[in-house]
Amino acid sequence: MHTEHAEPAAPPARPSYSSGTSDVPLIGETIGTNLLRTAERFPERDALVEFATGRRWTYREFVADVDALAVGLLESGLEKGDRIGVWAPNRAEWTLVQYAAARIGAILVNINPSYRVHELEYVLNQSGTRMLVAARRFKSSDYVDMVERVRPGCSSLERVVFLDGPEWAELSRHRVDPARLRRVAEGLSADDPINIQYTSGTTGFPKGATLSHHNILNNGFFVGELCGYTERDRVAIVPPFYHCFGMVMGNLACTSHGAAMVIPSEGFDASAALAAVQAESCTSLYGVPTMFIAELDLPDFANYELSSLRTGIMAGSPCPVEVMKQVIERMGMSEVAICYGMTETSPVSVQTRADDSLERRVSTVGRVGPHLEIKIVDPETGLTVPCGESGELCTRGYSVMLGYWNEPDRTAEVIDSARWMHTGDLAVMDEYGYVSVTGRIKDMIIRGGENIYPREVEEFLYTHPDILDAQVIGVPDERYGEELMAWVRLREGAEELTAEALREFCAGELAHYKIPRYARVVDEFPMTVTGKVRKVEMRERAKEMLGIG
């Protein structure tokens, strides 16, 4: 019997899923063991340089000081699993505490240097911190006074050690007993929790993302691998250590490769960053886009010798195309990488590669990292969307946190039963696996039924000759539900920019519904300490300013 054969059905569009392959295996050891291995290979190479004070450590000296402090922590009664808080700006002691805690399996609690009394008390209690190592002060904050105010309400806190005092000297200068440290190390697992990082929630109290040796050691290592790090690299670590950008992508990327950690200053200082690069012949420079903007905008920028720079990382928030181009052209960072991630994923999931075209590096955040998986799902159904469609970015693999400290319900809200971490970020994946992050699900603006991603409008505003930086938010509108408002920072010497002039600039270039109705010129945006713009706060202030509900 003869039957007509129908044309076979076309295969469905490729799903937005990608996994990172690698010939380089994951590291299955603790941070302490990995540091010892590096020091054995490169004992006389620089490990740590504090530019402001001129203090420096070779790997041999660094391990000796880490071990002396580790013994001090043991003598203080700290054991595996106990929490030790560190509340200080970027300085050498922060790094020593980071590695000493890892040597004995104590869990490091990273405390934001900008926290005030209320937040400090919350994280000390929520984490059950037994010991706190703190600076005496930073900027306008008197840490000694604030600690005294919270101590009565912190039942777990047994000891506070302030840096630059006799207690720190005593704690950090113990005689090392190698056999004792070896016994402690033998009782540690790479899967043990080793770090609690409080993520800056825009509502409610921050959540303590709990990360293991395996999480952060491997993430730092593979970020460094994709940057091409070897023992010859010297990394200017500008972002704060209390954040993953500083302590993982910075410190752990260096120590897992034998590279040098260079601390330009306690807090961000554009001049100090470039001076450190020049003086220490740094090959890599880190920062969020606002930091690079400030560095490029220095009046004496041309006087800095930056020819040693090869690479670096720009992360923390979307990178404007124009800034990326200037970093490559004016700073000589031809291999600069864009990284995307979040604290809960240790942090990096997606990264550009050195051989990616400029177009790829300015229009995407790169491809999935080695040994990780990513997918983009419909936020409503949870189903993977086809390539080219927008949805929520999810990550799975070695980098996903153990959970939020003592908060299983909040953990279950973001990590599903298949161990996918739901980021809350909107993204699109192309057929080659490159990802473009288009905004937060909560930041998406819906005007008259049209979905508008602020990033697209911001990128266009950066092409205006007078605009240095731009942020776009949605504000309530009776007719359309939401309207667009642009906040802009102008270049020095630029004339005032009105909303009308801005709309004229956009006319014919952007679809009419994407053109901002309102504009405001500001000197700075409300920011988190990690360099993320606080759009929630901008929206509240905009509503007050415009007199709308």
Side-chain angles (χ1 to χ4, degrees), residues 71 81 104 176 247 339 423 512:
V71 172
I104 67 165
V176 174
M247 69 161 288
C339 288
T423 67
H512 70 91

Side-chain angles (χ1 to χ4, degrees), residues 268-285:
F268 173 62
D269 179 317
S271 301
L274 298 190
V277 169
Q278 175 176 296
E280 293 297 327
S281 300
C282 292
T283 57
S284 179
L285 173 62

Side-chain angles (χ1 to χ4, degrees), residues 96-236:
L96 291 168
V97 173
Q98 176 186 347
Y99 287 88
R103 282 286 272 141
I104 67 165
I107 300 173
L108 188 73
V109 179
N110 301 2
I111 302 174
N112 185 328
S114 295
Y115 274 177
R116 313 306 292 179
V117 171
H118 180 60
E119 298 149 314
L120 174 66
E121 185 171 18
Y122 175 78
V123 300
L124 291 174
N125 279 325
Q126 204 276 329
S127 62
T129 293
R130 284 188 64 194
M131 178 191 281
L132 175 65
V133 177
R136 303 190 76 82
R137 60 181 312 111
F138 178 53
K139 294 183 176 174
S140 61
S141 297
D142 181 343
Y143 287 180
V144 177
D145 175 64
M146 284 195 269
V147 168
E148 287 310 307
R149 287 164 64 188
V150 303
R151 278 190 94 153
C154 294
S155 56
S156 64
L157 187 62
E158 298 167 7
R159 186 176 178 190
V160 179
V161 176
F162 289 106
L163 299 178
D164 305 320
E167 274 203 291
W168 169 256
E170 183 206 338
L171 183 71
S172 61
R173 291 180 191 155
H174 276 263
R175 185 181 179 85
V176 174
D177 177 353
R180 183 182 186 186
L181 286 176
R182 194 160 48 246
R183 283 195 303 275
V184 170
E186 286 167 358
L188 305 181
S189 161
D191 293 318
D192 292 335
I194 199 63
N195 190 219
I196 300 175
Q197 303 207 13
Y198 282 89
T199 64
S200 49
T202 48
T203 57
F205 282 111
K207 305 181 289 281
T210 306
L211 304 168
S212 66
H213 293 268
H214 194 68
N215 287 149
I216 58 178
L217 174 58
N218 277 291
N219 204 261
F221 174 70
F222 280 103
V223 165
E225 285 288 285
L226 295 185
C227 288
Y229 287 164
T230 71
E231 72 277 8
R232 291 181 293 279
D233 281 288
R234 304 174 68 78
V235 184

Side-chain angles (χ1 to χ4, degrees), residues 495-512:
E495 292 181 17
E496 194 65 18
L497 188 68
T498 63
E500 189 180 357
L502 193 68
R503 285 197 297 271
E504 279 178 25
F505 178 73
C506 297
E509 301 289 337
L510 291 177
H512 70 91

Side-chain angles (χ1 to χ4, degrees), residues 285-363:
L285 173 62
Y286 285 7
V288 298
T290 49
M291 292 173 176
F292 282 103
I293 289 169
E295 288 155 8
L296 290 159
D297 205 39
L298 285 171
D300 61 345
F301 174 84
N303 297 342
Y304 291 97
E305 171 53 61
L306 307 177
S307 61
S308 59
L309 283 175
R310 167 182 68 81
T311 187
I313 294 176
M314 208 184 298
S317 58
C319 166
V321 174
E322 292 305 311
V323 177
M324 183 67 156
K325 286 178 178 171
Q326 287 192 53
V327 164
I328 292 170
E329 290 165 14
R330 296 176 61 202
M331 289 185 159
M333 293 166 58
S334 59
E335 298 176 23
V336 63
I338 298 288
C339 288
Y340 161 84
M342 61 193 308
T343 306
E344 290 89 337
T345 56
S346 303
V348 177
S349 302
V350 181
Q351 183 172 347
T352 59
R353 298 352 188 218
D355 58 356
D356 282 336
S357 66
L358 176 63
E359 173 59 27
R360 291 268 197 224
R361 282 187 279 170
V362 296
S363 62

Side-chain angles (χ1 to χ4, degrees), residues 424-478:
D425 284 323
L426 290 164
V428 177
M429 184 189 293
D430 71 16
E431 59 183 319
Y432 302 103
Y434 286 88
V435 174
S436 301
V437 176
T438 50
R440 294 286 296 166
I441 288 175
K442 292 172 185 167
D443 285 343
M444 189 174 73
I445 301 164
I446 305 175
R447 181 193 182 275
E450 297 277 6
N451 288 356
I452 302 165
Y453 302 113
R455 174 82 194 273
E456 181 188 355
V457 183
E458 290 161 0
E459 287 290 0
F460 177 71
L461 296 181
Y462 279 114
T463 65
H464 191 293
D466 290 341
I467 291 178
L468 183 68
D469 205 352
Q471 297 291 330
V472 172
I473 56 170
V475 293
D477 183 76
E478 280 187 11

